[in-house]
Amino acid sequence: DNIHNEPPMAGVRRNKRQHAVDGVPDVDALIQKFVHMDYLLEVVAGKNEQLMAMNQHADPENMFYAMGPRAALEIGRVQIIHFCAETLEQPVDPTMLAEVEGDNDDEE
């Protein structure tokens, strides 16, 4: 039902909500919700010199996301590190944990 008879025309964008698949969440809307709730920070690459220096091939219009202040307070950086490692099926990076512990020592 959602397959069009003609291929899309170049430069024309369709409304994602009109063509959503049942049971698949609107990821863009969820990301914006988390940004609004301060769980994520949203930064336009071109407005951040450090991001552009780290990602030299990034389009200045690209959006980057980072853990927001609410996530840091409610969830914690250590738990985020463990979650990411588990999700990626990788061992936890001890240098990342040491960095977080070092930051915690500095705050005390």
Side-chain angles (χ1 to χ4, degrees), residues 4-5 9 12 20 26 35 41 45 61 65 67 73-75 77-80 85 87-88 90 92 95 104 107:
H4 295 273
N5 293 331
M9 294 176 10
V12 175
D26 183 350
V35 168
L41 296 176
E61 299 298 315
Y65 298 91
M67 184 170 68
L73 289 172
E74 291 183 13
I75 300 166
R77 293 171 64 192
V78 172
Q79 288 175 296
I80 297 289
T87 302
L88 297 171
Q90 298 288 325
V92 174
T95 57
N104 290 342
E107 291 174 2

Side-chain angles (χ1 to χ4, degrees), residues 43-46 57-64:
V43 179
V44 178
H57 300 291
D59 183 325
E61 299 298 315
N62 284 2
M63 299 301 291
F64 285 82

Side-chain angles (χ1 to χ4, degrees), residues 2 5 11 16 26 31 48 51 58 65 67-68 71 75 96 99 102 107:
N2 289 333
N5 293 331
K16 293 179 184 178
D26 183 350
I31 288 174
N48 187 300
L51 277 176
Y65 298 91
M67 184 170 68
I75 300 166
M96 292 180 80
E99 181 180 324
E107 291 174 2

Side-chain angles (χ1 to χ4, degrees), residues 13-31:
R13 300 181 83 186
R14 292 188 177 128
N15 185 345
K16 293 179 184 178
R17 293 178 189 261
Q18 289 179 343
H19 303 287
V21 178
D22 290 338
V24 177
D26 183 350
V27 175
D28 292 333
L30 288 173
I31 288 174

